[in-house]
Amino acid sequence: MINVKDLTKKERRQIPRQEMTERHPKQRAKYFDEVTLGYSLKEAQFEAARCIQCKDPTCIKGCPVSINIPGFLEMIVEDNLNDAIDKVWEATALPAVCGRVCPQEIQCEEVCIVGLKKGTEPVGIGNLEMFIADWARANNVKNSAEIPPSTGKKVAVVGSGPAGIAVAGDLAKKGHEVTIFEAFHKAGGVLLYGIPEFRLAKNVVAYEIEQLESLGVKIEYNSVVGRTIDVDELLEEMDYDAVFIGVGAGLPNFLGIPGEDLNGVFSANEYLTRANLMRAFEFPKYDTPIIPGKNVAVLGAGNVAMDSARTALRLGAKSVKIVYRRTRVESPSRHIELHHAEQEGVEFEFLTSPLEFIGSANGKLTGINCEKMKLGEPDEDGRRRPVPIKDSQFFIDCDLAIISIGTTANPLLTNVTDGLELNEWGNIKADPKTGKTTKNAVWAGGDITLGQATVILAMGTGRDAAKSIDEYLRRI
Amino acid sequence: MYKIIKKEKMAHDSIVLNEIEATQIAKKAKPGQFVILRVDETGERIPLTMANVDKEKGTITIIYMIVGKSTRSFSMLEVGDGYQDCVGPLGEPTKIKKKGNVVCVGGGTGTAVLHPITKGMYEAGNRVITILGARNKDYLIMEKEMRKVSDEVRICTDDGSKGRHGLVTEELKEILETQKIDEVVAIGPVPMMKFVSLLTKEFDVPTIVSLNPIMIDGTGMCGGCRVTIGGKTKFACVEGPEFDGHQVDYGSLIRRLDAYKHEEEHSNECMFAEGLR
Ligand SMILES: Cc1cc2nc3c(=O)[nH]c(=O)nc-3n(C[C@H](O)[C@H](O)[C@H](O)COP(=O)(O)OP(=O)(O)OC[C@H]3O[C@@H](n4cnc5c(N)ncnc54)[C@H](O)[C@@H]3O)c2cc1C
Ligand SMILES: Cc1cc2nc3c(=O)[nH]c(=O)nc-3n(C[C@H](O)[C@H](O)[C@H](O)COP(=O)(O)OP(=O)(O)OC[C@H]3O[C@@H](n4cnc5c(N)ncnc54)[C@H](O)[C@@H]3O)c2cc1C
Ligand code: SF4
Ligand code: SF4
Ligand code: FES
């Protein structure tokens, strides 16, 4: 058998990208198990060996949290997995999650030197990050970073999404006492209620939460800050020294076209929350129902739309169409998600815009009136603006429509918290380097400051805030 | 766990009262707000209004009608058991002001929801006339409690077994015809709220109703609870549940409440098939 360690540089360069084994598209589209099956150790070592250990590794610059990528890859090649995971943990709290859901192709892998050469694929950094994190989980390897004695300082973290998880983990490791206040009955934020099981198994998320708890982080569930308890109460009555707000984006956008209140028209948030958090796909074992559409239309073409479409397939839909005003090129979704959706049988109606939902006399959705579009002049952000084509109306037959056109900042907390300045979209204004808000002793990060972003960016803001909060706590 | 410290059954065991330990919620709760409860790990999130709050004891009281699987599972919890999850207080509190003459109309379990609001109206110095409607006298709830917080209580039953033989709207019409009323609060089945609103519109009397669309999170995240108010989409869990009765699209609400009829029936059947686990 070939030992990867013994390969010469030249031989290493000839290794093709190791594709990760995936379940068969037609099979997997019937159930919720994870699509990707992970690398074996050998596959991982071959893939890691493709990295040429650049002197000036561009990949690190492409990663929002600057993971030492060549460092941990070489440790994998050398079979030194314990050190490899420690190296990753130095920079990220959620490797098992980011390895699965990061848009690598526009971050670390986009700028990988190997991939920039014509005809070669970049190193599978995301896949390897998933590998090493899954290995650590399977072997119950714990973060070896030692926790210093308690500082006696208390921090409240609002929201348990990636931003909250990152801030809580980092501050606990510095010896501060951290409590997360979470509105839902479970922790994880979008990782739990948004991103479906088949893309991110919920036991992966649960494991990350256990890790946090093993660091001494407490989680108060069913606590809606702004209703159950206020930010000022946390600071003044409950003696928290600092508060971090990571409440996510929240409020789903609707199209504002007629018929949106028909039965069968969902926001993606509702549809995915029913399916993921409330496990409606196991109805009636779980009590929460969902409408299992036969013909489904998903409006929008981002990650959330892909997740909704693929969920609908798994719930038994006969046909699922993605309806999008622009074309494949403009789709904001990750390439791999669009590809997976297509493989599984999702159809695409590009250059199509919905005009009106049509329903039966008893209020059930029966279809959508649409019109065809063409791409016109570029708008401010350089994307070509879709314009309607005259007399091009047509009807899409469907009994379920899922609106997936983004979210805006949820005003629940910000409306009742004095001293927090917001921007014009209702997002909390925070220093981009430190996450400090305009309110004394309050920091914020994640989607509530960035708008709709990504897991790794949310986590990055959490880490930055943790640093700033730590400095503050040592000062006061 | 949120422990049940008191349980009562009423109206032929079709309506259940639970007093629950929930210190933090009790501390913050105001009239008109609700909680979302989940019985256990596989349970649905069910919104119920707080009919009473004891800030000193740190308890909240809910009163619910057994209508389907979840409320039936709730009804099987005894004193000492608890709900796995309870979150709140949710929704905007009732805007209680001194208006003058106020009529509070309650139908069915809506009376439970109406109680804290009526109490608030009464304590704010309004003259309160309460109209309670029920199928028959056995289904009438909270009459005693309502008398304590109203200047006058009138009863209507569908079969005439107590009070007026007829609908609450008939009683209300008489009052509107004979007295100057400054505000009406109507809480009960959707058709009742609809007809009360149609009537008060004729008399040009401002009317508050409390809507009960299907909810999940209760924090404005899912949009499932959207209702149409004056042609605009509103999320009942954060902007409501109370709205101007004259602006509500009741037809849309009634249709949306039936969205899962088929699944709910199935859920119920499964429960009975399992012998009411
Ligand atoms: C369906 C879907 C798919 C996605 N796919 C990807 C992907 O493939 N890759 C990627 O990088 N990103 C993806 N994203 C985006 C990514 O998930 C988010 O950017 C990220 O989760 C934001 O993290 P956050 O910590 O800011 O907030 P969230 O993850 O939104 O978490 C916020 C938490 O705060 C809680 N909360 C809210 N209000 C309150 C309150 N008042 N009090 C207490 N708690 C509160 C919420 O319940 C929630 O648990 C996806 C998003 C969705 C919806
Ligand atoms: C803000 C609010 C306050 C409420 N307060 C009270 C109260 O004080 N007392 C009371 O008896 N009832 C109240 N309700 C109604 C109560 O939530 C429903 O009766 C309950 O959810 C029924 O659940 P089930 O599983 O037992 O019945 P199911 O068989 O599931 O459904 C019966 C009917 O209840 C409605 N319903 C089902 N699921 C939900 C849900 N998740 N959210 C809301 N409605 C649903 C549907 O219209 C359905 O047709 C309130 C509802 C809301 C939104
Ligand atoms: S965290 Fe994301 S961007 Fe960074 S190395 Fe991992 S996959 Fe790449
Ligand atoms: S850019 Fe690519 S080849 Fe270079 S160090 Fe990073 S992963 Fe390795
Ligand atoms: S219940 Fe989800 S937005 Fe109101």
Side-chain angles (χ1 to χ4, degrees), chain B residues 214-225 235-238:
Chain B
I214 295 174
M215 295 185 174
I216 304 181
D217 58 304
T219 63
M221 190 277 288
C222 76
C225 64
F235 293 179
C237 70
V238 284

Side-chain angles (χ1 to χ4, degrees), chain A residues 100-103 107 157-165 181-184 186-196 199 223-227 244 246-250 268-269 272 276 303-305 307-308 334 337 407 410 412-413 445-459 461, chain B residues 219 221:
Chain A
R100 284 170 169 80
V101 306
C102 249
Q107 295 179 356
V157 172
V158 185
S160 63
I165 292 174
F181 292 84
E182 168 55 48
F184 265 130
K186 278 211 171 74
V190 168
L191 307 182
L192 193 73
Y193 67 72
I195 304 180
R199 210 145 70 75
S223 300
V224 184
V225 177
R227 295 271 199 217
F244 174 85
V247 292
N269 275 7
L272 291 171
N276 298 327
N303 284 327
V304 184
D307 285 346
S308 305
R334 288 179 65 200
E337 302 310 332
T407 52
N410 189 334
L412 185 82
L413 179 144
D447 282 3
I448 190 65
T449 58
L450 301 167
Q452 260 179 304
T454 59
V455 172
I456 191 74
L457 286 173
M459 218 198 72
T461 58
Chain B
T219 63
M221 190 277 288

Side-chain angles (χ1 to χ4, degrees), chain A residues 181-246:
Chain A
F181 292 84
E182 168 55 48
F184 265 130
H185 54 266
K186 278 211 171 74
V190 168
L191 307 182
L192 193 73
Y193 67 72
I195 304 180
E197 182 81 25
F198 55 83
R199 210 145 70 75
L200 175 61
K202 296 312 154 216
N203 62 5
V204 173
V205 182
Y207 179 82
E208 300 296 352
I209 303 297
E210 280 165 30
Q211 294 304 296
L212 265 190
E213 287 174 322
S214 72
L215 291 171
V217 173
K218 289 199 219 68
I219 308 180
E220 293 282 346
Y221 295 100
N222 299 317
S223 300
V224 184
V225 177
R227 295 271 199 217
T228 316
I229 197 160
D230 297 328
V231 173
D232 284 322
E233 280 174 294
L234 290 169
L235 289 169
E236 284 152 27
E237 291 174 29
M238 297 182 68
D239 297 324
Y240 283 96
D241 299 293
V243 173
F244 174 85
I245 301 174

